[in-house]
DNA sequence: AAAGAAATTTAGACAAGGCTAAAATAATTT
DNA sequence: AAATTATTTTAGCCTTGTCTAAATTTCTTT
């Protein structure tokens, strides 16, 4: 059995690997909210256990074994997020923090029951793909909203779950995964991006728009 | 926030207090599966935090604050047990071990949602009363099956959840809380107790019968 | 290319929560 | 009542996962 700490590190490494490519000590330190020195010592332990590889002063990489575990945890996390929303009506801006705790205590049996209850879902409430039991995961091709040209019809693919505040705002304007909307304009001087959905226009800050992934709608 | 360990100790103390009256170091050691020395040191910590009182070489007692916490954990445990059975179809002999983990990660918000989903239930799948949020709990008056005279019609009130094996057997013969049955006979030489339910007779060992609580059925 | 800045690692400490072995106290037997 | 046995506590150690401060190494700037 792996400690919760180890699971958290592996998950964080996976996530940074996906978004940044390189996984540095400081990035991990930042993400996990622990000191760089603590990261170094845990990295040493994870290397010894062959869950990651590590070259001093250069980053860290998951081994296949480590990646498998990371994906199991992420699977737990995302299944639980969706379950809490569907079965218990937990609002989408709260499911993440609950799932952070639940992901570590979910038995295989319960994982299967939840998966079945939900009808073997493919994405969580934020549009993130749910890894399969075998450790594979379908990644959808998409762009950050901030990079889309004005006058484009797009479909929301995925929204980052890291900021509840943002999720509440987006929920308020009806912006969810699978929603279609038009990028109306990008205001100059790093101003907001204006999108139109359900007939209304809404401003979305550039920073927030980095965390909203979309694809061109076929039209 | 309290550590999982502290929560486990408080719950164990509550349970031993209920069933044995006196809570000794060795009883705790046994129940929690840790050495007596470990219990002593944790007891010291819990005393300092005013969650229990302790006189050297005599037992331990919960303070009102400690009891409140113990009951909160037990409330979590029992709500989760029932929830897993009702919402996800987990068999009653498995809900206990799942709940042992979940009881520590349940937020107040989720507790309320589960409580509501279940229609504010009063007992868990084993018939144990679910403490209310305010820290009160209704205790039903009952006797161990082993102490009942033959030829009595009884109603099952509660079955201990500590042994999955026993629960599977009882489930197999249809013996659940609220079930009515007749105590047919007590075989001599510490032999089994014979009960009749749904027209069939079934033997129940004396030891098992200590863990089945019943009340006289009104008839 | 050297200096300064930033990132990483090492060294050493600490808190939690466990353990074993030995000492102290209480309970039981003779 | 003394001796033996059982229970509880103390003393000291270990592991996990964290921290700070100091030493390295790498990167950036001049």
């Amino acid at each position: 059995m792996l400690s919760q700490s180890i699971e958290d590190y592996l998950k964080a490494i996976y996530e940074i690997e996906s978004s940044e490519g390189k996984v540095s000590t400081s990035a991990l330190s930042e993400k996990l909210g622990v000191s760089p020195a603590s990261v170094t010592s845990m990295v040493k332990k994870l290397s010894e256990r062959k869950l990651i590889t590590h070259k001093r002063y250069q980053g860290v990489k998951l081994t296949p074994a480590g990646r498998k575990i990371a994906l199991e945890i992420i699977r737990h996390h995302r299944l639980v997020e969706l379950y809490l929303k569907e079965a218990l009506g937990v609002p989408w801006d709260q499911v993440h923090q609950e799932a952070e705790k639940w992901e570590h205590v979910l038995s295989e049996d319960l994982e299967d029951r939840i998966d079945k209850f939900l009808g073997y879902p493919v994405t969580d409430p934020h549009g993130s793909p749910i890894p399969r039991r075998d450790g594979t995961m379908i990644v959808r091709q998409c762009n950050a909203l901030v990079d889309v040209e004005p006058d484009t019809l797009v479909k929301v693919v995925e929204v980052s779950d890291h900021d509840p505040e943002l999720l509440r705002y987006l929920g308020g304007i009806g912006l969810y995964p699978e929603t279609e909307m038009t990028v109306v304009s990008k205001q100059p001087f790093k101003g907001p991006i204006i999108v139109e959905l359900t007939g209304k226009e809404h401003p979305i800050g550039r920073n927030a728009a980095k965390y909203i992934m979309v694809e061109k709608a076929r039209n």
Side-chain angles (χ1 to χ4, degrees), chain A:
Chain A
M1 202 59 282
L2 298 166
S3 71
Q4 169 158 344
S5 228
I6 288 179
E7 292 184 349
D8 284 336
Y9 271 87
L10 292 175
K11 187 170 69 135
I13 292 168
Y14 182 91
E15 286 169 356
I16 296 170
E17 218 170 58
S18 306
S19 64
E20 320 277 302
K22 195 197 153 194
V23 185
S24 65
T25 299
S26 48
L28 272 171
S29 156
E30 165 89 3
K31 177 144 195 155
L32 292 165
V34 299
S35 72
S38 302
V39 171
T40 299
S41 80
M42 182 58 105
V43 157
K44 204 176 147 214
K45 177 189 290 187
L46 295 176
S47 299
E48 278 160 8
R49 295 216 198 177
K50 314 273 192 201
L51 297 171
I52 61 176
T53 57
H54 177 227
K55 279 182 237 150
R56 295 172 84 252
Y57 292 99
Q58 295 165 226
V60 126
K61 267 195 176 56
L62 289 169
T63 62
R67 175 168 295 104
K68 180 107 189 292
I69 293 165
L71 283 163
E72 276 172 25
I73 305 299
I74 293 170
R75 173 169 163 78
H76 286 184
H77 182 94
R78 293 183 180 168
L79 275 176
V80 168
E81 281 190 342
L82 186 60
Y83 182 77
L84 291 176
K85 173 164 169 286
E86 296 295 319
L88 289 165
V90 179
W92 83 329
D93 59 297
Q94 284 171 40
V95 294
H96 175 71
Q97 57 153 179
E98 298 281 355
E100 285 288 305
K101 299 182 295 180
W102 290 52
E103 64 191 10
H104 302 294
V105 301
L106 195 62
S107 68
E108 292 296 288
D109 177 61
L110 234 42
E111 176 190 320
D112 287 344
R113 287 176 190 276
I114 287 174
D115 195 24
K116 187 175 176 190
F117 173 90
L118 294 169
Y120 309 103
V122 172
T123 55
D124 78 5
H126 314 100
S128 306
I130 297 173
R132 306 307 303 168
R133 286 205 66 168
D134 63 9
T136 59
M137 185 169 75
I138 302 152
V139 184
R140 252 166 114 181
Q141 175 61 35
C142 52
N143 307 97
L145 175 60
V146 75
D147 298 326
V148 173
E149 292 306 307
D151 247 322
T152 321
L153 181 63
V154 298
K155 178 152 82 170
V156 178
V157 171
E158 186 175 343
V159 177
S160 163
D161 62 2
H162 82 289
D163 180 4
E165 181 76 39
L166 173 61
L167 290 174
R168 277 193 294 277
Y169 174 68
L170 297 179
I173 66 175
L175 191 160
Y176 296 108
E178 300 304 306
T179 303
E180 294 200 352
M181 62 188 186
T182 307
V183 179
V184 177
S185 62
K186 293 163 87 165
Q187 297 299 306
F189 304 112
K190 310 206 173 174
I193 289 165
I194 310 296
V195 300
E196 190 214 300
L197 72 166
T198 47
K200 284 201 194 111
E201 296 196 351
H202 302 279
I204 295 180
R206 298 260 169 153
N207 201 46
K210 281 185 212 153
Y211 297 114
I212 300 171
M213 306 305 293
V214 301
E215 62 182 18
K216 282 214 171 67
R218 30 105 212 73
N219 63 338

